Amino acid sequence: MPSALDTAIRTLLLPVKPGTGSEYGLRAEEIMDALGVTEDKADWVMLEAAAWEQYGYPTQEFRVFIQSLLYSTDRDPKSFIIEPAALGDEVTGNRVLQEFSGRYFNLHKRVMEEEKVGHQAAKRVLSYVHTMMLLATGGRMTASRIYSILLADGITLSKSWSTPRFILDACGLRQEVLAADIEAIYNDDLAAEPELLGDMTVEEAIAHVASVCRTFGYDGDLHDQLRTLLIEDLHTPYLCMLHFQLSLLQLYNHRLTNGYEFSPRGEGVLWLTNRYNMAGLNVGLAPFLNNAKSVDTLNEGWASSKKKKERHAARAFTDLLAELDRLSDPSRSAAGLYLRGILHRIIRVTAASGVGLSHVIPAFSPGSAASLIAAVGAGNTGTRGIIEQRLTDCISLHEAGDLALWRLRGFGDSVFTTNTSRKKLGDSELKHTVDPLIIAVEAHGGRLTEKYVQEHLFTMRNVMPMRVEELEDRAPLADWSINLRFYAHELDPAMTTVVDVLGVSVAIDYFRFSDLAAVDTTAGIAAIMDHHFANELNEIHVHPSIRQKVIGMM
């Protein structure tokens, strides 16, 4: 049964970790003995607390008592608020808890003044400090994220996120975003862009990223939101604002619809703004202040207040942020990486359109064609298969002979284009105009394994039903045959060579890229490579590093 003293100190609403028992009351008794309190200790606590509320400030004895109860350097445990090690490490935890105990009464006064609340309400706000500390350190949550999470659980911490922000700051848990942080994230994303998006156009990248983000749990129509925001109703300041908000995901678990927790006129935003303006994307000097001045939350209300020509983009922007806020932090971080990748592609393409293409691949000669084929045969190009796929396109067209006899599908597609979306049986395919024959070609950088072959056959079995009507329009399925050709740098031994897919016989052939050295480059393939290799990679959306590598191979 709790003692009278234990009951009295619990009514103070000091933050205390769950599971704390009678030791809490014993600690209070020790402190009061050290202070020389001789009267009934429970009565002393109640009288001192009442005097604090009545006069607006505590006595010196009560101040020392509360501070010592919150944190005592010379006692074990030092605090009942939370285990210091739970705040990252024991040294940091002790520092944070000591900071809070020394500032408790000042914080209480500030909560009353800024929130316009009474004495007891301010105590209730501070009673959540251990939760705030834990979320801010262990979960790296920002004040706005903490506020929204508690609010969703029915806990009205304060009138806004600014109160937990100044409480955490006072505890030494200040969260900030420096220009150097934004620059580091930007440079990392700059290097990741070609890896994430390969050789896709912005439109293709939008579809790809929307598909990828669905696997992270994104339930909204991201494809439509991105098309609206980036293409159909482009308002460039929103791109910069989105970029900054998404960058925060690399630093903190932040509520993305909050645009003001990290200074919208700070050095980080200014640095990013300069990158956009230098690329030819005019976002003004202060995109947040010019488009969301004094707006705490980027929500539907803000979007509806925008001018008609900006309203659709604003709604897409806020819908996107709100949907991301509903995801887990790992899902948001992963989605943010891809979304920033699209923004980097837009920045790069816009900048390049103003100065011209860099590293242009020249026309092929028989000699340079042979050099490139030999270089690809020497090993993986490290281009996510882009060079390999463009080369197999050219080889397949060269070997096909008279192209009037073939209907082509998939030639020039991005390496990230799915076979299912294009209803194709390989990266590219040739369907004979007379004979019931399809040649499907699949390029693979690195080593080809049986597992990869089986995964491809699984996809083929999903695609074939989509093609039945088309194929049977000419001949029964049983009369059709498919020649599936894999190209890779290395091959596992004894892989599948014949399989039946929906009643169609599929013969599988395997080739090493090194085998292509035997191709006679004087027999017309150079012209094919000009059209299906050089022209494809000389498109502005293809990263210049790909062309630079090709030129080095020629």
Side-chain angles (χ1 to χ4, degrees):
M1 180 178 178
S3 66
L5 176 57
D6 190 70
T7 300
I9 59 175
R10 300 281 181 172
T11 63
L12 296 174
L13 302 184
L14 299 177
V16 59
K17 64 185 177 183
T20 302
S22 60
E23 64 270 30
Y24 192 43
L26 293 174
R27 170 65 56 82
E29 192 169 358
E30 289 176 14
I31 296 169
M32 281 187 278
D33 285 341
L35 288 172
V37 175
T38 57
E39 63 256 52
D40 182 88
K41 292 180 171 60
D43 287 346
W44 182 86
V45 169
M46 300 300 288
L47 288 170
E48 288 286 334
W52 171 35
E53 182 173 3
Q54 181 178 357
Y55 297 113
Y57 56 87
T59 64
Q60 180 59 26
E61 291 80 5
F62 192 59
R63 181 184 293 274
V64 172
F65 170 70
I66 293 296
Q67 289 178 351
S68 300
L69 189 56
L70 289 169
Y71 186 86
S72 296
T73 305
D74 56 350
R75 292 183 171 90
D76 184 33
K78 292 181 173 62
S79 178
F80 289 101
I81 297 175
I82 196 170
E83 293 291 340
L87 301 179
D89 61 80
E90 196 158 344
V91 173
T92 299
N94 281 316
R95 174 182 60 77
V96 168
L97 293 169
Q98 191 169 19
E99 292 274 2
F100 173 68
S101 69
R103 290 178 167 83
Y104 178 81
F105 288 101
N106 289 338
L107 286 171
H108 180 271
K109 184 178 180 180
R110 184 172 173 182
V111 171
M112 288 181 64
E113 291 174 350
E114 295 203 5
E115 288 291 318
K116 306 296 183 186
V117 295
H119 183 90
Q120 292 298 327
K123 287 201 299 183
R124 287 196 293 273
V125 170
L126 293 177
S127 71
Y128 287 104
V129 158
H130 57 330
T131 301
M132 295 183 217
M133 290 177 175
L134 188 60
L135 294 177
T137 53
R140 289 190 65 80
M141 289 188 187
T142 62
S144 58
R145 187 68 162 169
I146 293 170
Y147 177 79
S148 62
I149 284 177
L150 293 179
L151 192 63
D153 204 30
I155 299 171
T156 305
L157 190 63
S158 53
K159 291 184 175 71
S160 80
W161 56 270
S162 60
T163 295
R165 176 72 277 150
F166 74 66
I167 291 172
L168 291 172
D169 286 349
C171 296
L173 292 174
R174 184 174 182 81
Q175 296 168 328
E176 55 187 0
V177 177
L178 306 176
D181 297 324
I182 297 301
E183 183 176 0
I185 294 165
Y186 186 95
N187 289 334
D188 286 345
D189 292 339
L190 187 69
E193 180 235 318
E195 288 289 314
L196 291 171
L197 304 179
D199 54 347
M200 290 186 289
T201 64
V202 171
E203 289 236 21
E204 290 170 338
I206 287 172
H208 175 68
V209 170
S211 176
V212 170
C213 288
R214 277 197 296 273
T215 68
F216 302 147
Y218 194 102
D219 290 331
D221 190 348
L222 183 57
H223 184 270
D224 183 66
Q225 290 161 1
L226 289 176
R227 276 194 57 81
T228 299
L229 187 60
L230 306 181
I231 298 175
E232 294 173 356
D233 294 279
L234 176 65
H235 181 60
T236 51
Y238 294 164
L239 273 61
C240 187
M241 294 166 68
L242 174 63
H243 200 149
F244 182 76
Q245 294 301 95
L246 293 173
S247 297
L248 298 177
L249 294 175
Q250 292 297 98
L251 302 171
Y252 302 109
N253 185 343
H254 179 57
R255 179 171 167 253
L256 294 179
T257 49
N258 180 293
Y260 267 70
E261 183 166 354
F262 297 100
S263 178
R265 70 183 81 190
E267 292 182 356
V269 175
L270 292 176
W271 187 91
L272 189 60
T273 297
N274 287 336
R275 301 286 80 72
Y276 274 80
N277 287 330
M278 288 168 59
L281 290 160
N282 183 11
V283 299
L285 298 178
F288 278 92
L289 294 182
N290 292 341
N291 291 273
K293 188 174 183 180
S294 302
V295 175
D296 182 72
T297 305
L298 299 169
N299 57 16
E300 185 179 350
W302 167 76
S304 298
S305 71
K306 304 309 293 179
K307 298 175 183 176
K308 185 177 181 180
K309 64 179 181 179
E310 301 169 9
R311 198 172 300 148
H312 289 301
R315 284 173 175 158
F317 179 30
T318 57
D319 287 348
L320 191 158
L321 294 180
E323 186 65 36
L324 287 173
D325 274 342
R326 286 189 280 270
L327 301 181
S328 69
D329 195 47
S331 291
R332 295 196 311 156
S333 295
L337 181 62
Y338 278 91
L339 291 166
R340 293 195 305 274
I342 293 182
L343 294 173
H344 271 277
R345 179 139 300 187
I346 291 171
I347 292 170
R348 179 175 60 77
V349 168
T350 304
S353 65
V355 298
L357 203 66
S358 61
H359 306 297
V360 178
I361 300 171
F364 280 95
S365 66
S368 62
S371 294
L372 183 126
I373 290 171
V376 174
N380 195 327
T381 65
T383 59
R384 295 299 300 267
I386 292 173
I387 292 176
E388 284 87 348
Q389 187 163 319
R390 294 290 77 85
L391 180 57
T392 55
D393 281 355
C394 297
I395 296 296
S396 301
L397 294 171
H398 177 64
E399 293 180 345
D402 184 1
L403 294 182
L405 294 174
W406 301 93
R407 290 178 183 167
L408 309 182
R409 186 187 297 235
F411 286 88
D413 279 359
S414 164
V415 293
F416 288 146
T417 300
T418 64
N419 292 355
T420 303
S421 66
R422 294 275 280 122
K423 300 180 184 179
K424 56 184 184 176
L425 304 176
D427 291 333
S428 57
E429 68 169 67
L430 302 98
K431 177 185 170 187
H432 203 274
T433 58
V434 179
D435 300 329
L437 169 66
I438 293 175
I439 298 174
V441 182
E442 188 77 9
H444 185 74
R447 186 179 189 86
L448 182 66
T449 64
E450 176 68 16
K451 180 180 180 181
Y452 183 91
V453 172
Q454 291 303 321
E455 287 176 354
H456 181 80
L457 292 173
F458 176 82
T459 302
M460 185 181 281
R461 291 186 178 96
N462 289 331
V463 171
M464 280 294 286
M466 305 177 192
R467 304 280 297 271
V468 169
E469 184 177 353
E470 167 207 337
L471 299 180
E472 288 189 331
D473 188 51
R474 184 192 302 174
L477 278 184
D479 292 348
W480 281 88
S481 60
I482 298 172
N483 179 204
L484 176 57
R485 299 178 180 179
F486 282 101
Y487 289 84
H489 292 97
E490 297 179 66
L491 303 171
D492 268 3
M495 290 186 287
T496 300
T497 56
V498 179
V499 70
D500 180 275
V501 175
L502 207 67
V504 177
S505 177
V506 179
I508 307 175
D509 294 319
Y510 301 97
F511 304 92
R512 289 181 174 85
F513 282 109
S514 57
D515 298 336
L516 301 180
V519 172
D520 181 4
T521 57
T522 66
I525 195 172
I528 294 175
M529 292 177 73
D530 283 342
H531 184 70
H532 292 277
F533 191 101
N535 286 357
E536 292 287 348
L537 298 186
N538 279 335
E539 292 290 340
I540 198 168
H541 60 269
V542 177
H543 199 274
S545 63
I546 305 296
R547 294 189 293 275
Q548 189 175 19
K549 180 161 286 191
V550 169
I551 292 169
M553 291 176 166
M554 295 172 69

